[in-house]
Amino acid sequence: MKRFLWIFLAVSLFSLVWVGNVFAQKPTPSDDEVNAVASQMFCPVCENTPLDVCPTQACAQWRELIRTKLSEGWNADQIKQYFATQYGVRVLAEPPRQGLNWLVYIVPPFLIVIGVYILFRAFRSMHTVNQLAGGETEPNGPATDEYTSRIEEELKKRN
Amino acid sequence: MNEGNSTPNAEVEAAPKRGVPIWIQVIIWLLLLGLLAIIAFNMKRSQQGSLKVGDPIQNFTLSFFDGYQFQGKPEINLSDLKGKVVVVNFWASWCKPCEQEAAALESVWKTYESGGQVVFVGVDYVDTEPEARKYLSNFGITFPNGPDVGTKISQYFRITGVPETYFIDQAGNLAYAQIGPFGSESEIQAIIDPLIQK
Amino acid sequence: MVEDFGYGVLILSFILAIYAIGSAVYGYVHRSQKWVESSRLAMQLTFPILTLSVISLIYLLVNDQYHVAFVYEVTSRSMPMYLKITSLWGGQSGSLVFWAWLMAAFSTAVSLRKWDRDREFLPWVVVVTSLTMAFFVGLVIFYENPFLQYWKSFSGDVISAMFQPAGSAFFAPTDGRGLNPLLRHPGMVIHPPMLYLGFVSFVIPFAFAIAALVTGRTDDRWIRITRRWTIIAWTFLSLGLVLGGRWAYDVLGWGGYWGWDPVEISAFMPWLTGTAFLHSVMIQEKRGMLKYWNMLLIILTYALVIFGTFLTRSGVLSSVHAFAQSAIGPAFFIFIGITFVTSVALLIYRWADLKAESQMTSMLSREALFLLNNLLFMSILVVCFWGVIFPLISELVTGQKITVGPPFYKNATGPLFAALVLLMGIAPLSAWGHSTLKTLGQAMWKPLIASLVVMVIIFFGFDIRQPYALIGFFVIFTSAFITIYEFWRAARARSRAQKENILLALWRLAGRNRRRYGGYIIHLAIVCMSLGIIGIEMFQTQTQGTIAQGQSLQLDGYTVTYKDLAVFDTNDNRNVARAVLTVSKNGQFLTELYPRRDYYYESQQPMTIPGVRSTMADDLYVILVDWQPILSSGATFKIYHNPLVNWLWLGSIILIFGSIVAGWPDKEVEIVPARVRRNQIAGSAVGQQVD
């Protein structure tokens, strides 16, 4: 009895898989799905134009290739990887984070941090100079050059 | 008219004047020169145009589409072809002008194939395989063809578009570069024949 | 004949510019006013002379003189008159002439000012402007001559040369190739002049800066002289950039206005340093600080102008905006090398003289916040510069091309832009010299509450949950409300004091201090533009589909129905495929759209013209991607929904207005009731507006 139960379970599982197989197979990916991947790539034929909007025949073929790969169940990263090996890394909108390319991502933050440091030091040194000079130096008093505040003061005096 | 209000506490002016420290000056000049050097090299590169006649051609390896072979192997090394005239044709299935010359190239290839002195190689530039195969079978191309993986070969040749055809002599130097399609078979033969005779 | 005349006057203007440089230097060295004056007169003459050359070229363009190579390349008989004129800047050589001509206009204009108080600057201003102009004229004369004619040798080859080569005959094609179709757009007609105007007008402040460095007169005089030039330059450059964006949006058919293309970025970089300069000069004027920094900024701006022009025109970068490969690269490179090295050397030489006259007293003072603003602009510059330069380095090292594209720039600059917009709101509240959290808080709390209310509405009413978008909106609305509140506070104070109507008070107030209130208007313009940018960057949606006649595509509640498509030839040599679509929302018909694809036979170039339904809330932007010969079998459309994008263009119009307010020359003295006038301490108020 117990054995039959197992067989029955196995058979029903198999039939479930068999019937469900049709759902696992993806329908032809829509243009939108294709474009979602294509917009992250550039094609060497039309330089600096994203692949999803490039009107040339070459790019249309590339988009069809993306469609094929999507229907084979590839995901966006796999497809990008495939295109990068096939046509060179310049198809990627951003250089891959490896080797020399790390410089792209590291140098700007590094320089910005240096900028922040310089600014911070400038502020601090000015602060110390101020304290040496005997506390707050208020050249004209707070906001004397403000036309509005002058008018406001004027108002106060009148009231 | 009244610059006076811009100097509220002039006593700071008394501080000793300091120039730019030498090490910062050195860094600035190095950066500036580095930038100029980068631009100079890139400009030189972009001004070079295509390869020049007489330039030695570096070795490259081209793996063929399935069904093509050269001397029984599915790939070709340029360095193995010393002593032969090599015709490298860049094409793509999306390229209309390429279609003009495809049949001519094939028929010229047929005339030289048996002689063994000339090798034709087709390099497929940024193309998709199904369309490329369709193109090849449409025109009945029999000489070996393969995709330019990573666009390495085309970048080396600095092609400006497709079709372009490069003729490499027996010594491995560029003998002739054709930008754009060929008009006729005789045009191609007129380039190859003097090379064989050399 | 006309071409010979045009070329002749070109050479004449080159000689004049060289003479101006020579006599200015001679006059400076020998302290001879006569020579300096003579150089000024020579510089003055360059504009009328170059104008003759430009007129000759336009004459050739308009009259279908196809024996001239440039005319053949950029015009054709079927082009309308206005395009024939504007194709002057549709090709490399013509646009170089145009550049030089604008440069001459500015140098002539600057030569006409009253020099009485600034005689010592004159020779060096002449040298810098004339050198820049001579360089561009030289490029035209020696490398990119638009007056070259076609000649047919007896062997049948057609060659282009200025003078008839031996053994050749006159040759004139019957029709030209016509202007690149992408450039046949009103946006493209005015975009290059605006951009070039922005570029060349930044040369003027640079020239004064160099003059100040050479002569050692490093007080803020040079800044006061060039203040208005800087505002003009900045306005033109901003407009040039916006128009370029508008052109891309209308013509390139990728649903966007800015693609972070290297050429776009190289026009954007001088804008960044120019904007930073515009702000930091105020610190020098008010507080005598940051002298070296201002010098550095204007030198950078000039360098980036030249560098950007070089990148675009030398073939180092390729792009939809770039000119074709050209031989001018090496000459340009040498010019860049000389100007960079000279300016930096001068700056280092004078560094010690550029000491600050006063000190920062508070982290919340306006000068401190302006410094922060400068830091942010420089950070964006670093990102942009590195993104443009790195692929060049990488290609040299690895031999492989790489792309540094939009994702990189968006991620890197997004937070910086947001911080800038926020700072733009807060900084005007702080006072020069000193402010405290308390004074800032007092001015800020009301607008802050207002923007929080708006945020609640956006969050619950519009159901927007993306954190970055919310941050963006918050920053924008805070900034906007603070600026508007500033206007209102000042106007109310004045209207009470003067018993004026509030609008009149606002008008008078802005009139009293144009620079500040013009600046605020520009800030509001930037806020509007940011709103548009957030809309399209964060909320753009798109869909694409192939539909048969009568079928529809849906996007964000819009229904786009394919009605009809016609393919026909036009009499100006185009093949046009034009679709008819109807747009409806909630079952209600809104409009018809006509996206089309033009194919230009002459240049074998397709052009995608979108059909756009535009409102202040959103744009519906439809592109015809593909179509079947049999209509019923369908056509492919791509639809973009771009929320708020119109605020970007609206903002740019406000920007023009604000710039006019800020840059308007103040001559008339306002009549102020005697009592108020007495209370004004001489200098402090007037100093802000009188040059």
Side-chain angles (χ1 to χ4, degrees), chain A residues 31-32 35 47-48 52-53 90 92-93 95 103-104 126 130 136-137 139 143 145-148 154 158, chain C residues 254 287 318 359-361 366 386 390 401 403 405 432 434 490 494 509 512 543-544 640 675 679 688:
Chain A
D31 287 349
D32 288 344
N35 282 342
E47 262 172 294
N48 296 312
D52 61 332
V53 286
R90 66 167 150 170
L92 301 175
L103 283 178
V104 179
M126 283 157 186
N130 272 333
E136 290 286 84
T137 44
D145 64 326
E146 297 275 307
Y147 179 70
T148 47
E154 186 74 10
R158 280 191 341 153
Chain C
W254 32 260
R287 309 275 289 141
S318 47
Q359 292 293 342
M360 193 93 39
T361 46
R366 190 180 291 184
W386 189 239
F390 183 75
K401 282 191 160 76
T403 308
W432 294 109
H434 183 76
R494 187 186 164 104
L509 196 66
R512 281 211 68 81
T543 188
Q544 180 178 322
Y640 291 92
R675 215 171 41 77
N679 280 326
Q688 287 171 12

Side-chain angles (χ1 to χ4, degrees), chain C residues 90-257:
Chain C
Q92 172 91 280
S93 51
S95 77
L96 281 173
V97 174
F98 186 60
W99 215 109
W101 181 61
L102 292 178
M103 185 68 241
F106 274 85
S107 34
T108 299
V110 83
S111 78
L112 291 172
R113 71 181 293 278
K114 281 205 194 73
W115 284 93
D116 311 339
R117 297 180 54 215
D118 321 294
R119 273 277 154 198
E120 66 264 52
F121 286 158
L122 178 57
W124 295 102
V125 171
V126 171
V127 168
V128 175
T129 50
S130 299
L131 192 68
T132 310
M133 193 189 61
F135 168 67
F136 278 92
V137 176
L139 283 183
V140 175
I141 293 175
F142 299 114
Y143 296 97
E144 289 284 344
N145 181 1
F147 295 106
L148 292 184
Q149 300 173 64
Y150 284 128
W151 306 96
K152 195 169 202 166
S153 69
F154 293 125
S155 61
D157 296 331
V158 174
I159 41 177
S160 60
M162 193 60 228
F163 302 105
Q164 186 164 15
S168 68
F170 182 81
F171 174 74
T174 51
D175 199 356
R177 281 213 308 245
L179 190 63
N180 181 342
L182 287 176
L183 305 183
R184 300 182 189 192
H185 176 269
M188 208 52 196
V189 167
I190 35 179
H191 156 70
M194 289 294 152
L195 207 57
Y196 297 169
L197 276 171
F199 284 170
V200 297
S201 41
F202 265 122
V203 175
I204 305 298
F206 171 75
F208 276 94
I210 292 295
L213 282 178
V214 176
T215 57
R217 187 179 172 185
T218 51
D219 61 358
D220 58 2
R221 182 66 194 154
W222 72 273
I223 281 178
R224 287 177 186 275
I225 297 171
T226 58
R227 177 201 287 164
R228 194 145 289 123
W229 293 98
T230 311
I231 292 176
I232 292 172
W234 184 85
T235 310
F236 281 128
L237 192 52
S238 308
L239 284 182
L241 289 168
V242 172
L243 282 167
R246 181 75 212 199
W247 167 73
Y249 189 74
D250 286 349
V251 168
L252 295 185
W254 32 260
Y257 57 94

Side-chain angles (χ1 to χ4, degrees), chain A residues 56-130:
Chain A
T56 62
Q57 179 61 29
C59 291
Q61 287 183 18
W62 278 32
R63 288 193 290 267
E64 282 317 303
L65 187 61
I66 293 175
R67 199 190 303 274
T68 316
K69 295 289 175 197
L70 280 174
S71 66
E72 286 167 8
W74 293 36
N75 66 26
D77 286 335
Q78 289 168 321
I79 295 175
K80 284 197 282 186
Q81 193 50 50
Y82 169 81
F83 272 82
T85 44
Q86 204 67 23
Y87 306 111
V89 283
R90 66 167 150 170
V91 302
L92 301 175
E94 264 188 319
R97 288 170 163 76
Q98 61 192 29
L100 184 74
N101 292 337
W102 272 111
L103 283 178
V104 179
Y105 304 98
I106 288 171
V107 168
F110 179 70
L111 290 179
I112 293 171
V113 166
I114 290 182
V116 171
Y117 173 72
I118 292 175
L119 196 65
F120 177 73
R121 240 187 47 164
F123 277 149
R124 230 183 37 177
S125 72
M126 283 157 186
H127 211 66
T128 37
V129 166
N130 272 333

